[in-house]
Amino acid sequence: MWQRIQTVFLALVVISTVVSVFLPIWVFEDSATGVQHQLYPLHYTQLQQGNRNTVYFPYSITAMLLVAAATVAISTIRNYANRFTQIKLGMLNTLLTAGVMISIVVFVSDLAKIYPTGWRYGLPFYLAFVSVVCNWLAIRFIRRDEKIVRDSERIR
């Protein structure tokens, strides 16, 4: 199982999605008022003089999609004997990670309109793209393995 390169790519998908749940996607620190705004996949938080205001909905949709993508990637790894199922799960994971990217872009663009300057992206913003690329590569190598198996059966 681990000797196949697609398993390594799927493991990278799992790692990148799990790490993304715990890190901020977007951070803005207002030096004039001392208010810090942080967008996590699970919530949006404003820190002002020790007071924390947290809003979970609709921002928690990103975390739900990340957890679903990690779960599907783990299921894809575990179904190594059935390549057709792996391909189908990989396509589902592509949709989930695309949903993660769309939700991140929508939420960040909404906040960037409110706070136009001085903000920065966090690591999960980039890990979403890494997850999509690794998932695409895993599907590609699964299809290549399936083609090799079909070609070897045809020779017999």
Side-chain angles (χ1 to χ4, degrees), residues 11 26 63 72-73 77-79 81 84-85 89 91 99 107 121 130 141:
W26 179 87
V72 170
I77 292 171
R78 294 181 52 91
N79 285 320
F84 288 121
T85 304
L89 288 172
M91 294 304 221
F107 295 143
Y121 292 118
V130 169
F141 283 108

Side-chain angles (χ1 to χ4, degrees), residues 54-75:
T54 304
V55 178
Y56 288 96
F57 187 78
Y59 304 106
S60 59
I61 293 170
T62 307
M64 287 185 242
L65 289 171
L66 284 168
V67 170
T71 305
V72 170
I74 290 170
S75 296

